[in-house]
């Protein structure tokens, strides 16, 4: 894992001091809320429905045991003993006091963490593949690239007042586990003539106008990457729309002028920028990359696994993925117990996961965009012990990628922008489909719920998506099918008129029944949907 | 630096349109939507470029400033309008060396704000040596 | 009735105007009539409140009830965590705000 040197630490410490001063000025009246708001947002502090909410960055979703313990500590000391892991690989605390924030940020800084640029119209936390460094299908670890971008984008003087938020994702595997093309800039590290470089996609996003990012540049060599991104951002900063907040994302700019025209402008800008010498030397990348070297895995670890315990075998089959090293595996801890709140974890659960990471996973954890937690480097021989401890903590639900492994945003229970609640719908669906055999029969089924059109719950990218809307003061839910955030990326289509809470659960059941009746060998729900189209599903739902 | 904080000038400042049509002006004002590159052929004769920030949220002026500095503009570059104290450091890095804020800035607060960062991660339009260079000499 | 609400500047907690002060309990809220905006401006200036706004509601046997579900949830707390609401011992409270 990356470790701060004195420069990184000084930057974060400086930010804490700066924000402490800003909080003081706000509380003393030197600053109005209007002036303070963009500043607190750049430090991840929102005002939500019930209190201030603090969003902590987990850069590219990687954290150490010590860092996870610190999150647990903050939950206990300053919040109400829990936190919410988000699709952005961040953690949100829901009950924060303004005058506690400098102290919280100080605590975070003591373990090389921060809340920098987790909100605001700036370059946000860089997201990545939760299996990075462990995945059998990656060509390299994407995280050194992501860390390079984290440093470049932190306190960027030119790009801190962009037209709108800007999200970058970096992956390096064949399978896209991070919804790369639904980001403002998506980067896939690829290999050309034995050299790694970046395929750059731009203009993806969700929100009210979901778009899939087109390819802008096939191959940007490492030594040009920052110049190239600087050019991408400068074109956006100058020409992105600022007249309408809902049209301010880069996706609208690229859609309006066309990918070719955007590409041409970026090339022109790149020609200027490249001459400035802003790209760090290879040695800096190598310095960063050294931190991400594969931990010292047990070379003699065995691939044998005793699967005679039925529940353990179920969990291994569902929540354990292939590691690139023999005798090892990647464990995904589901934060989606049937009665629970998707993505929420108590401080005790955080502590337990941190302990497991230290004991069994070379001190590393990951957060997934599907709101789960990963232990990336576990010896197969240790899987049983890990599982037993997870069972005891209510963290062993074997439902990864099944219908009850839902993404749900906080919705109207917490969010001031929401139109409808997301969590109760998630709970009702989980309850309806609680039977594990039934879930396994339905197979991979990605269900994603957002409480409003902002799409924080990725509903556009759900095999089944649910969007909460306000229908004359009543919560109402629109259903959509056919989205995907994976390498088969697509945007979902709305089925038809919306439903109330129970109605949407019934409709999903009718749709999954239809799928079971229609599916051919090995087809997932989305494959059947793509083959037969919306009409038969519509017929089944609205009859 | 700090004497440039609430900067005033007697030099008449003209709009981009006027400047580009046929004026002999030596000072020009760029609005957020205007293209700073149109000034590049005339940098020699400009002593002051004023970049307008009608709303602090509108960050186009940061790019305008860098474009001018990158092209070698050495005159005064001043940020005018809704300029907030917490933006000074970024503005300075983008090449601004004078400020004409709508609401005068307190020099002590400004000095603190300008000293926020010990070092910087990126190369920008100021003289600061980026952290990666400090690391690798 | 008209209610004045906002979030406490420091704690961020939801509060209601009681006629002379702020309370986290909506039961203490008073009808502000046409004075909401004026009170809001003064209180904001005095830094006792963040983002105050006036909402419609009705007076019921249980006390004031905001017209919009969002403010009813604000008055109670998250419906999915009764233990964290202002009525932790009343499991049906969540049903009633919907
Ligand atoms: C509770 C406070 C939150 C607020 C106020 C909020 C606000 C917003 C807004 C306004 C947008 C739309 C941006 C646009 O279309 O330009 C958005 C998008 C998004 N948010 Fe949130 N959000 C919140 C929580 C979350 C959470 C909990 C997650 C993760 C579960 C999340 C992840 C996202 C994602 C993935 C998007 C879509 C990005 C895109 O449009 O490309 N947000 N959010
Ligand atoms: S989708 Fe809407 S309701 Fe859900 S968290 Fe985002 S802004 Fe809030």
């Amino acid at each position: 894992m990356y470790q701060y040197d004195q420069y990184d630490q000084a930057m974060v410490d400086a930010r804490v001091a700066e924000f402490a001063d800003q909080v003081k000025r706000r509380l003393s009246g030197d600053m109005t809320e209007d002036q303070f708001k963009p500043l607190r947002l750049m430090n991840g502090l929102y005002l939500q429905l019930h209190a201030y909410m603090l969003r902590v960055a987990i850069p590219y979703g990687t954290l150490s045991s010590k860092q996870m313990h610190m999150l647990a500590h903050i939950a206990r000391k300053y919040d109400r003993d829990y936190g919410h892991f988000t699709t952005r690989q961040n953690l949100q605390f829901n009950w924060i006091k303004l005058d506690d924030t400098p102290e919280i940020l100080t605590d975070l800084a003591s373990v090389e963490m921060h809340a920098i640029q987790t909100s605001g119209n700036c370059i946000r936390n860089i997201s990545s593949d939760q299996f990075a460094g462990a995945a059998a299908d990656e060509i390299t670890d994407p995280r050194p690239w992501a860390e390079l971008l984290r440093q470049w984008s932190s306190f960027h003087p030119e790009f801190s007042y962009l037209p709108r938020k800007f999200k970058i994702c970096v992956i390096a595997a064949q399978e896209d586990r991070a919804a790369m093309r639904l980001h403002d800039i998506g980067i896939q590290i690829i290999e050309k003539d034995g050299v790694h470089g970046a395929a750059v996609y731009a203009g993806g996003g969700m929100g009210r106008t979901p778009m899939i990012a087109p390819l802008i540049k096939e191959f940007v060599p490492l030594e040009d990457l920052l110049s190239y991104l600087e050019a991408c951002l400068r074109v956006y900063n100058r020409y992105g729309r600022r007249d309408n907040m809902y049209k301010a994302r880069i996706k609208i700019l690229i859609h309006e002028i066309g990918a070719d025209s955007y590409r041409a402008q970026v090339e022109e800008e790149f020609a200027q920028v490249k001459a400035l010498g802003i790209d760090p030397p290879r040695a800096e990348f190598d310095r960063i990359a050294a931190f991400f070297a594969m931990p010292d895995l047990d070379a003699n670890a065995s691939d044998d696994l005793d699967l005679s315990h039925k529940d353990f075998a179920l969990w291994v089959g569902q929540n354990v993925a292939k590691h690139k090293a023999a005798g090892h595996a990647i464990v995904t801890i589901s934060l989606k117990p049937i009665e629970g709140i998707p993505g929420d974890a108590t401080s005790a659960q955080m502590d337990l996961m941190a302990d497991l990471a230290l004991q069994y996973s070379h001190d590393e954890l990951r957060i997934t965009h599907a709101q789960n937690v990963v232990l990336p480097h576990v010896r197969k021989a240790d899987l049983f012990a890990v599982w037993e401890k997870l069972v005891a903590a209510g963290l062993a639900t074997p439902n990864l990628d099944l219908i009850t492994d839902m993404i749900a945003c906080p919705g109207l229970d917490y969010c001031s922008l929401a139109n409808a609640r997301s969590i109760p719908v998630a709970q009702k669906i989980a309850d309806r489909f609680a039977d594990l055999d039934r879930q396994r029969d339905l197979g991979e089924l990605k269900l994603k719920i957002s409480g409003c059109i902002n799409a924080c719950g990725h509903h556009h990218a759900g095999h089944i998506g649910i969007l909460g809307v306000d229908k004359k003061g009543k919560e109402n839910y629109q259903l959509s099918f056919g989205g995907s955030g994976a390498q088969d990326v697509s945007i979902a289509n709305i089925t038809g008129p919306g439903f109330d809470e129970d109605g949407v659960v019934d409709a999903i059941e009718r749709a999954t029944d239809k799928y079971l009746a229609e599916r051919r060998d090995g087809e997932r729900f989305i494959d059947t949907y793509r083959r037969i189209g919306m009409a038969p599903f519509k017929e089944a739902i609205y009859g | 630096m700090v004497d440039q904080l609430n900067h005033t000038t007697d030099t008449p400042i003209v709009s981009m349109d006027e400047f580009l049509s046929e004026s002999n002006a030596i000072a020009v004002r760029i609005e957020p939507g205007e293209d700073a590159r149109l000034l590049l052929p005339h940098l020699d004769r400009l002593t002051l470029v004023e970049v307008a920030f009608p709303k602090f949220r509108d960050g186009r002026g940061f790019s305008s400033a860098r474009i001018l500095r990158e092209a070698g503009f050495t005159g005064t570059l001043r940020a005018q309008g809704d300029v907030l104290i917490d933006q000074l450091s970024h503005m300075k890095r983008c090449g601004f060396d004078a400020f004409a804020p709508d609401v005068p800035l307190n020099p002590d607060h400004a000095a603190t704000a300008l000293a926020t960062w010990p070092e910087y991660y990126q190369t920008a339009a100021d003289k600061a040596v980026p952290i990666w260079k400090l690391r690798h000499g | 009735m008209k209610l004045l609400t906002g979030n406490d500047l420091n704690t961020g907690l939801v509060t209601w105007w009681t006629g002379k002060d702020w309370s986290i309990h909506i039961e203490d809220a008073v009808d502000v009539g046409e004075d909401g905006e004026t009170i809001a401006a003064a209180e904001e200036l005095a830094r006792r409140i963040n983002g105050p706004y006036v909402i419609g509601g009705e007076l019921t046997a249980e006390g004031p009830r905001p017209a919009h579900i969002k403010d009813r949830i604000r008055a109670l707390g998250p419906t999915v965590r009764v233990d964290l609401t202002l009525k932790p011992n009343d499991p049906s409270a969540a049903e009633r705000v919907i």
Side-chain angles (χ1 to χ4, degrees), chain C residues 39-75:
Chain C
I39 303 169
E43 288 294 304
E44 195 164 28
L45 210 63
R47 300 193 304 281
R48 282 187 286 262
I49 194 73
N50 200 350
Y53 61 103
V54 178
I55 60 166
E58 55 173 344
L59 194 58
T60 70
E62 275 196 72
R65 181 177 167 87
H68 198 279
I69 178 173
K70 175 182 284 183
D71 295 302
R72 295 199 293 271
I73 293 179
R74 287 179 71 244

Side-chain angles (χ1 to χ4, degrees), chain A residues 294-411:
Chain A
M294 180 66 89
D296 202 5
L297 300 182
D298 176 0
N300 301 318
S302 159
D303 267 320
D304 295 341
L305 198 55
D306 177 359
L307 292 173
S308 53
H309 190 301
K310 183 171 153 286
D311 289 343
F312 173 61
L314 274 178
W315 176 79
V316 169
Q318 205 63 48
N319 290 33
V320 175
K322 192 170 155 49
H323 196 281
K324 57 165 93 158
H328 288 77
I330 307 173
V331 168
T332 301
I333 301 171
S334 167
L335 294 183
K336 319 290 174 63
I338 298 299
E339 304 279 301
I341 294 176
D344 276 12
T346 63
S347 66
Q349 289 177 324
M350 291 181 216
D351 278 333
L352 176 89
M353 294 188 281
D355 289 340
L356 291 176
L358 187 62
Q359 193 175 355
Y360 298 109
S361 181
H362 295 266
D363 200 11
E364 257 193 58
L365 298 125
R366 309 291 177 77
I367 309 308
T368 84
H369 87 274
Q371 303 177 284
N372 293 315
V373 177
V374 167
L375 300 173
H377 309 294
V378 182
R379 282 197 317 163
K380 286 190 179 164
D382 292 331
L383 284 174
F384 192 79
V386 169
W387 174 73
E388 281 191 309
K389 290 181 184 175
L390 290 174
V391 170
L395 289 170
T397 315
N399 61 349
L400 190 68
D401 293 339
L402 300 179
I403 189 168
T404 61
D405 179 19
M406 280 168 267
I407 292 179
C409 79

